[in-house]
Amino acid sequence: MDVEIGEENGIDIGKKIREIHSDCKIIITSSYKKYLIEGYKIRAERYFIKPILEKEFFIEMEDVLNHYFYKEYGFVDEKISKRKILVKDILYIEYLDKHTLLHCTNEIVYKAPHPLKYWVDTLSKYDFCQCYKCFVVNLLYVEKMEKNDIVLINGEKIPVSRFYKKGFENAYVERLSRRAC
């Protein structure tokens, strides 16, 4: 929405929208920088100063939309569960005894017949990264990295091998930088 909409003020409209639907994504456009702070007070996802470059707009909007829809991304696989498994609910995946185990945030562990490579290929676009020959981790749930381990938000430690360490660190830093924006 624009900050100046005829006689209306976009910031005031944004406040009303936020009261009705707190999860709504608000994008503000304006010719003036002076409304920037007010825009962030209503938790605007982005604040564009006019004129808006088309390429910049599409890059930013793709990120906003991906973040918004991320909570709904999931899959149904009858070999694993009859229920939809949401990608955001998976902490990490472990390969053990010719099966993969999907460790979830609700402490449920799903057993799957798929090889680890299947999960690497399927979930890499959702901020999952391999850190060890038998582990793939959801970067959203990494609390910190220690010398040879990843510490997840639930306190679990997952090993990091020398072979995967550099790639994992790069993916983790990139994820942190996107989250900071």
Side-chain angles (χ1 to χ4, degrees), residues 2-136:
D2 203 330
V3 171
E4 295 178 351
I5 307 171
E7 298 293 315
E8 298 287 328
N9 178 317
I11 301 296
D12 292 336
I13 294 170
K15 288 177 185 177
K16 292 174 187 172
I17 290 171
R18 184 67 66 213
E19 289 173 9
I20 296 167
H21 186 52
S22 64
D23 197 32
C24 181
K25 301 298 180 193
I26 298 174
I27 313 296
I28 296 193
T29 63
S30 179
S31 297
Y32 309 103
K33 292 181 183 179
K34 66 183 180 181
Y35 296 110
L36 182 65
I37 300 300
E38 293 299 313
Y40 285 109
K41 284 182 181 177
I42 62 169
R43 295 187 338 257
E45 290 290 318
R46 298 293 188 275
Y47 189 101
F48 291 106
I49 302 292
K50 295 177 186 176
I52 303 167
L53 299 173
E54 184 177 348
K55 183 177 178 182
E56 178 184 328
F57 178 79
F58 284 117
I59 289 170
E60 293 298 319
M61 291 308 295
E62 181 178 11
D63 187 55
V64 169
L65 291 172
N66 283 339
H67 185 266
Y68 185 70
F69 290 116
Y70 180 79
K71 63 184 173 200
E72 299 301 323
Y73 293 150
F75 58 89
V76 176
D77 186 330
E78 295 281 329
K79 296 175 189 172
I80 302 170
S81 173
K82 294 185 188 313
R83 304 170 91 188
K84 181 178 181 181
I85 298 172
L86 297 175
V87 170
K88 73 173 182 65
D89 291 342
I90 303 171
L91 280 169
Y92 66 94
I93 300 166
E94 175 182 19
Y95 182 76
L96 184 67
D97 296 328
K98 298 183 182 181
H99 289 90
T100 47
L101 303 174
L102 284 68
H103 296 263
C104 296
T105 56
N106 57 6
E107 298 184 6
I108 292 175
V109 178
Y110 295 100
K111 187 175 183 179
H114 308 297
L116 198 64
K117 177 152 179 29
Y118 168 83
W119 297 111
V120 170
D121 294 342
T122 303
L123 298 175
S124 62
K125 64 184 171 193
Y126 300 114
D127 289 324
F128 282 75
C129 189
Q130 190 165 5
C131 61
Y132 199 80
K133 65 182 177 181
C134 57
F135 287 100
V136 174

Side-chain angles (χ1 to χ4, degrees), residues 119-171:
W119 297 111
V120 170
D121 294 342
T122 303
L123 298 175
S124 62
K125 64 184 171 193
Y126 300 114
D127 289 324
F128 282 75
C129 189
Q130 190 165 5
C131 61
Y132 199 80
K133 65 182 177 181
C134 57
F135 287 100
V136 174
V137 173
N138 187 337
L139 296 170
L140 292 175
Y141 299 118
V142 174
E143 172 97 6
K144 63 182 176 179
M145 290 188 66
E146 294 179 343
K147 186 175 180 179
N148 296 314
D149 291 314
I150 297 161
V151 180
L152 301 178
I153 60 167
N154 66 355
E156 285 187 73
K157 289 186 176 185
I158 307 292
V160 180
S161 72
R162 282 184 286 159
F163 181 79
Y164 292 103
K165 189 171 189 170
K166 187 68 174 167
F168 188 87
E169 286 175 342
N170 290 341

